[in-house]
Amino acid sequence: MEGSEQARAHRRLRLQEGTRRLLHGFSRAASSALNLPAGLAVWCHEATDVFGAGRASAWLHDRRSQELVLVATSGTTDVAEGTRLRTDSPQLPAAAMHHDGARVGRGASGQGSLGVLTVPLRGHRRALGVLVLDEVPTSLIEDDDLVAEADELGRQLSAAIENLLLLEDVLKSRRELAHTFDSLEDLVAVCGPGLQVVHVNRTLADRLTLPADRLFGRPLADLLDREAAAWVRSEDLASALRAATPAARELDDATLGGRFTMTLTPLPGPDGRPAGAVFVARDVTNQARLEAERAALQERLTQSEKLAALGQFIAGVAHELNNPLQAVLGHVELLRRQGRIPPGIRRELSLVFREADRAARIVDNLLVFAGGRTATLRPIALNAVVTQTLALRAAACRAAGIDIVRRLDESQPRVAGNRLLLQQALFNVLINAEQELAAWGGGRIEVSTRVPAGGDVVRVQVRDTGPGIAAAALPRLFEPFFTTKDVGRGTGLGLAITYGIVKDHRGTLTAGNHPDGGAVFTIDLPVSRERPRERKKTTTRQRD
Ligand code: ADP
């Protein structure tokens, strides 16, 4: 009797020693890599020895799918790791998960001398899984001490597993939080009470091209450009933060590279008092650019509305003037054909005719400007227009000491245009260059044509070596009646007319100054998609 008591005490001791070893092995394997399956694999391996079982398996409860998953097993079995079982199954091991302690049962193998020991794993108000020890000799299973020890082991293992799961949850949330923080497009810095950097997201570190750990502890102001740094250091901001009020500014910051909406939001400490602030800089560079472009577009629209209204008014006046002028011209012409006119009167008549003709041409220009004279567009060779226009001014330029240099690309496609209107557009640009150079004491006008990359437009460029366009005049150049010339010399209509003609051709007109001095006017005209027509007699009226 005494001997068997001793043997039992000895066995109990060995069991206790064994479970301690099991727990220790589990903890070491599981916690070194925070890997629960690895810990349970070690446990399974050693449990067979401690409990004299043929096989040990660990099933964990997947709460979301309401299933038990076999995460580790010792030796090879016909049930593979990863096997899933519904938790409401009445069979082992699912049924065992709901037991309130370790239990023994008959072995599935049907071998009478072997049994199965199941140990439920229970956490705080939740089932964690079940351990199954198969093929345990009946002699052992009938031992109450073994069941009690298995129960104790189950409790301790449950606590360890639950802690591990909690830790995993915490670490996962932390990882997710860090990931979210880093993937924010905004530049974020968490700052301590003196606005020194405690934490930055990757976006901010990348902008500053510095590793995040080089930024810790530095004053936030040190990471910003002058204006932003002054704001961050300002007393206004400090008092806003003390009063737990967020503050915001929109600033350009060359250090961060762009325009930013910067906000500093106070961060309350555990006692509710301000413990620091969160700095967020949102890049609004693109937004600001778009807004500027929209404003410029609006400005251009207003400008073209003004032009349209003015155009209507001018067209009305020009039409009214045209009729009496044509009558004057007609009658003077009739008078001039009379044979017997004293020479003095003939001279006067010629003068009247010339001036009336000039007035008629001005009225005609006004009509073009007003948009009353658009003609249909045909495929035309722009070089021919350039050559004809230059021929008109050749003599005058020579007389004024102005050289004309031509660089015409001969292989260019035709543009969709009206020859006479384009001639006028170019003429106005040439006349300006000529006037500027004549006042400058001579110089050179370079006229070039070419097809820029892309091939969908033909470009005419007129460059002169005169004084260039005054900076103040540049934005107003195409405005009707804008002139810097003396009364009588300039009408301020030339470039407005050119602009209107080019626009009617769906082209663009730009003006600027050449880096080496002088003005440069560039006209881009779309290439014609139409094939040039056969030349035939046409009755279409065209302006002269
Ligand atoms: P106008 O020649 O009657 O003044 P424009 O509309 O043709 O009217 O030109 C407007 C203004 O643009 C001119 O008064 C002049 O100030 C400026 N400008 C035009 N062409 C040139 C040029 N080649 N060089 C310098 N300034 C120019």
Side-chain angles (χ1 to χ4, degrees), residues 355-374:
E355 290 304 302
D357 187 51
R358 201 158 75 87
R361 269 189 280 127
I362 291 173
V363 167
D364 231 17
N365 264 349
L366 288 176
L367 279 171
V368 172
F369 166 70
R373 283 280 165 88
T374 45

Side-chain angles (χ1 to χ4, degrees), residues 428-429 431-436 464 466-470 473 476-479 481-485 489-497 513 518-521:
N428 294 348
V429 175
I431 280 279
N432 279 339
E434 204 183 302
Q435 285 180 340
E436 295 293 336
D464 63 60
I469 304 158
R476 303 191 54 201
L477 224 54
F478 306 141
E479 265 180 36
F481 306 115
F482 172 77
T483 179
T484 55
K485 294 170 191 167
R489 279 198 69 223
T491 58
L493 279 176
L495 290 180
I497 289 172
N513 287 317
V520 185
F521 287 82

